[in-house]
């Protein structure tokens, strides 16, 4: 657990960074993006985000045939967008390229 003054500094740095984002602001940010943008370690950032009212969600994705869980944070008042549930729709044009002459 961080000391209260360090935690307050982290929350203030996060608030200044978020206020400097151009309008319209994104609704969700990956954890890696927030670490690079604020320059805070991930553990300190997580505590600051939760105390500042941000919501956290893990979203499962497929990359190169493997399942991967990415952590997303959304600002207060927003929700982390989720991919649609279930099997993706089968679209024949994605499987067989159609060439028009």
């Amino acid at each position: 657990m961080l000391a209260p003054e360090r935690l307050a500094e982290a929350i203030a740095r996060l608030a200044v960074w978020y206020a400097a984002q151009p309008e319209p602001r994104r609704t969700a940010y990956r954890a890696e993006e927030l670490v690079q943008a604020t320059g805070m370690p991930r553990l300190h950032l997580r505590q600051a985000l939760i105390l500042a009212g941000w919501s956290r969600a893990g979203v499962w994705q497929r990359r190169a045939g493997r399942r991967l869980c990415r952590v997303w944070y959304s600002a207060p008042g927003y929700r982390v967008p989720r991919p649609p549930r279930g099997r993706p729709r089968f679209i024949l044009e994605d499987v067989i390229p159609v060439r028009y002459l």
Side-chain angles (χ1 to χ4, degrees):
M1 187 82 183
L2 282 175
E5 51 277 343
R6 299 248 347 236
L7 194 55
E9 177 188 343
I11 292 172
R13 187 185 310 177
L14 177 68
V16 168
W17 171 80
Y18 187 68
Q21 296 301 306
E23 290 288 341
R25 293 184 181 110
R26 291 175 30 199
T27 59
Y29 297 91
R30 281 196 356 242
E32 295 85 16
E33 293 172 338
L34 291 172
V35 167
Q36 288 178 355
T38 59
M40 292 187 286
R42 187 179 294 235
L43 179 64
H44 299 213
L45 183 64
R46 180 177 182 204
Q47 292 174 357
L49 287 168
I50 290 172
L51 285 175
W54 288 56
S55 59
R56 178 182 186 269
V59 177
W60 287 94
Q61 300 173 339
R62 285 200 175 270
R63 295 281 186 237
R66 303 183 85 159
R67 288 176 44 97
L68 177 68
C69 183
R70 299 261 178 170
V71 176
W72 290 79
Y73 288 96
S74 63
Y78 296 104
R79 299 183 75 194
V80 174
R82 297 287 189 158
R85 291 184 52 105
R87 187 177 292 268
R89 294 186 59 214
F90 180 76
I91 302 172
L92 186 61
E93 284 114 12
D94 291 345
V95 179
I96 302 172
V98 178
R99 296 187 184 179
Y100 298 102
L101 299 174

